[in-house]
């Protein structure tokens, strides 16, 4: 049985990736942070009573800021594949917590790469890079050759991790891949990212539980895809003969305003009657437009997005409506 180690397993992507790998027959090990509660809503359904060495799903306490603990876990587990998804992943919050963000999102990757350099078995490494690295780009659709112009502490940290991944691959012949993923969303998306914030509000407004949602910049354009399809691409990258970097995107960009119109439209409401503005949701600088060109992933991995913008919005609104009906 192949072993995969996932950092960030409690997050949106980590939870979908864990499900996907278990279905593929992997033994999945996840690193979780110590919290005051054991509530881990996205992965609770994966728990089994079997906590023996042969269980398909095992969790370990750890933190990307603690290299000795991660090293001990890696030597104990001896994973075949490592997916580094752990991050302080909120761009605006990275302006409030730049040092912490860089410690986890940049140095956390370097700590892992340093451990992998010294192990004596072959391991494949996936780094969760981001379209935020393109930042204030002037290129209409961004691909693997597009220069980076990061616009936040988060994006700067991700650029650092991207280049270290490439550098360790080149320097030490490691199987290390950087997946440059554009925004991907789902009903498991954190509630303070704009898409989920909107779909949750739409459901609550439709049910009469509130009347407004407060937002920041409505003009930003993003390339929004469906998360369960994006985690498949991560796995595909590690199954290739040679390690490489890939853009994963839909190739379609929409503004926050368009997302609002579509989401409120799903329940027959006009967004302009329910959206107010607060500058606290603005960033010191924002990224105006991101739109990815995933032709390399299509040609080499055979990966293509299946869920289009309208379907994505509909499925997220439906899930938030259903959750309310079930009293969640
Ligand atoms: P997410 O939902 O915010 O999940 C982040 C995960 O990282 C959580 O499991 C979190 O644990 C963990 N984490 C945070 N700080 C940690 C630390 N110090 N030590 C160990 N674990 C820590 O993010 P996501 O949307 O799944 O994204 C996964 C990865 O892809 C991230 O690296 C993100 O930056 C990157 N990415 C995401 C997108 C996107 O659109 N979703 C696009 C490009 C790249 P807790 O549950 O304990 O907080
Ligand atoms: N979060 C949030 N909250 N964003 C808002 C709001 C609001 O109330 N109002 C407007 N926005 C705008 C932001 O200013 C931004 O331009 C856009 O909506 C998207 O914001 P987020 O959903 O927070 O996502 P992001 O694009 O900044 O970052 C996400 O995608 C990156 C990939 O490009 C995160 O998942 C990152 O971790 C990921 O790397």
């Amino acid at each position: 049985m192949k072993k995969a180690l996932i950092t960030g397993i409690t997050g949106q992507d980590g939870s979908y990736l864990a499900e996907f790998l278990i279905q593929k027959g992997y033994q999945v090990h996840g690193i979780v942070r110590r919290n005051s509660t054991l509530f881990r809503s996205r992965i609770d359904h994966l728990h089994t009573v079997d906590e023996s060495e042969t269980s398909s799903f095992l969790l370990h306490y750890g933190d990307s800021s603690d290299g000795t603990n991660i090293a001990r876990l890696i030597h104990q587990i001896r994973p075949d594949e490592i997916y580094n998804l752990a991050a302080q992943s909120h761009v605006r919050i990275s302006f409030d917590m730049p040092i912490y963000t860089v410690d986890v999102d940049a140095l956390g990757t370097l700590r892992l790469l340093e451990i992998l350099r010294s192990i004596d078995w072959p391991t494949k490494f996936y780094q969760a890079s981001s379209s935020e690295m393109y930042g204030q780009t002037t290129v209409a659709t961004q691909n693997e050759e597009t220069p980076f112009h990061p616009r936040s502490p988060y994006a700067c940290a991700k650029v650092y991790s991207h280049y270290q991944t490439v550098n360790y691959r080149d320097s030490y012949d490691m199987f290390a891949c950087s997946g440059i993923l554009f925004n991907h969303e789902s009903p498991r998306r954190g509630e303070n990212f704009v898409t989920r914030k909107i779909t949750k509000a739409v459901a609550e407004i439709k049910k009469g539980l509130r009347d407004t949602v407060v937002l920041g910049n409505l003009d930003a354009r993003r390339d929004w895809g469906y998360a369960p399809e994006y985690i498949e691409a991560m796995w595909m990258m590690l199954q290739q003969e040679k390690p490489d970097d890939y853009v994963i995107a839909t190739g379609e960009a929409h503004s926050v305003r368009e997302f609002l119109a579509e989401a409120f439209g799903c329940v027959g409401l006009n967004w302009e009657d329910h959206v107010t503005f607060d500058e606290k949701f603005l960033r010191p600088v924002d990224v105006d437009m991101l739109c990815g060109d995933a032709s390399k992933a299509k040609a080499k991995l055979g990966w293509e997005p299946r869920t289009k913008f309208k379907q994505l919005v509909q499925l997220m609104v439906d899930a938030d409506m259903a959750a309310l009906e079930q009293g969640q």
Side-chain angles (χ1 to χ4, degrees), residues 212-216 274-278:
T212 52
V213 56
V214 190
L215 295 171
H274 300 280
V275 176
T276 59
F277 168 79
D278 191 323

Side-chain angles (χ1 to χ4, degrees), residues 67-311:
T68 53
N69 143 270
I70 304 281
R72 194 166 51 246
L73 288 175
I74 288 177
H75 282 98
Q76 184 191 318
I77 297 164
R78 297 178 68 88
D80 301 286
E81 295 172 9
I82 298 181
Y83 296 86
N84 185 31
L85 310 187
Q88 191 302 91
S89 72
H90 201 284
V91 174
R92 199 198 55 74
I93 294 171
S94 79
F95 287 97
D96 301 336
M97 305 173 71
I99 310 284
Y100 174 74
T101 301
V102 167
D103 191 15
V104 175
D105 299 10
L107 292 181
T109 309
L110 183 60
R111 289 184 187 102
L112 265 172
L113 290 165
E114 266 298 284
I115 297 162
L116 298 192
R117 183 153 78 99
S118 63
I119 63 176
D120 59 3
W121 69 92
T123 296
K124 295 177 175 179
F125 178 77
Y126 173 84
Q127 170 57 21
S129 293
S130 165
S131 51
E132 276 293 304
M133 301 191 303
Y134 297 116
Q136 196 183 20
T137 185
T138 51
V139 179
T141 52
Q142 301 89 45
N143 66 18
E144 295 79 4
E145 309 305 322
T146 307
F148 300 137
H149 188 152
R151 297 258 277 177
S152 63
Y154 168 82
C156 292
K158 286 290 184 181
V159 169
Y160 176 88
S161 284
H162 169 81
Y163 281 130
Q164 284 292 20
T165 302
V166 174
N167 175 43
Y168 271 64
R169 177 171 76 217
D170 293 346
S171 304
Y172 307 116
D173 203 20
M174 282 171 43
F175 197 110
C177 300
S178 174
I180 306 173
L181 272 52
F182 283 62
N183 297 50
H184 44 281
E185 319 293 314
S186 75
R188 294 188 197 168
R189 183 58 139 156
E191 291 169 18
N192 60 355
F193 294 93
V194 78
T195 55
R196 184 75 200 292
K197 185 171 169 182
I198 293 170
T199 60
K200 192 162 183 286
V202 163
E204 288 170 0
I205 291 166
K206 183 67 182 172
K207 292 278 174 197
L209 300 174
R210 60 197 272 200
D211 195 44
T212 52
V213 56
V214 190
L215 295 171
N217 176 13
L218 306 188
D219 295 321
R221 298 178 73 78
R222 291 289 183 275
D223 179 332
W224 281 298
Y226 185 39
E229 295 166 11
Y230 283 50
I231 59 91
E232 289 177 19
M234 298 176 186
W235 175 78
M236 286 168 155
M237 288 178 212
L238 297 198
Q239 311 317 307
Q240 302 307 301
E241 212 168 291
K242 288 189 177 155
D244 207 343
D245 310 318
Y246 297 90
V247 160
I248 300 297
T250 70
E252 231 185 82
H254 295 272
S255 66
V256 174
R257 208 181 294 279
E258 285 165 1
F259 195 99
L260 279 167
E262 195 61 39
F264 277 90
C266 287
V267 296
L269 294 174
N270 178 6
W271 71 272
E272 284 161 309
D273 299 333
H274 300 280
V275 176
T276 59
F277 168 79
D278 191 323
E279 64 178 17
K280 80 175 176 201
F281 295 113
L282 297 178
R283 293 140 195 218
V285 284
D286 208 340
V287 169
D288 299 331
M289 203 279 299
L290 291 172
C291 186
D293 169 8
S295 356
K296 179 175 168 185
K298 184 177 178 188
K300 298 210 168 168
L301 305 177
W303 182 89
E304 271 190 283
R306 302 186 288 275
T307 305
K308 298 285 178 200
F309 176 70
K310 281 175 189 278
Q311 292 167 282

Side-chain angles (χ1 to χ4, degrees), residues 6-73:
I6 304 175
T7 74
I9 196 164
T10 53
Q12 170 188 257
D13 291 7
S15 64
Y16 284 122
L17 181 62
E19 282 169 9
F20 176 80
L21 293 175
I22 290 170
Q23 273 177 10
K24 288 247 169 239
Y26 280 70
Q27 180 177 60
V28 171
H29 293 257
I31 293 182
V32 291
R33 295 196 282 179
R34 190 267 159 184
N35 287 313
S36 64
T37 68
L38 285 179
F39 182 63
R40 301 183 188 113
S41 60
R42 297 188 182 102
I43 56 167
D44 277 344
H45 63 289
L46 295 175
H47 272 293
T48 63
V49 283
D50 179 10
E51 291 198 5
S52 73
E53 276 185 13
T54 56
S55 171
S56 59
F57 183 70
L58 291 162
L59 297 179
H60 311 266
Y61 283 111
D63 195 296
S64 300
S65 61
D66 181 350
T68 53
N69 143 270
I70 304 281
R72 194 166 51 246
L73 288 175

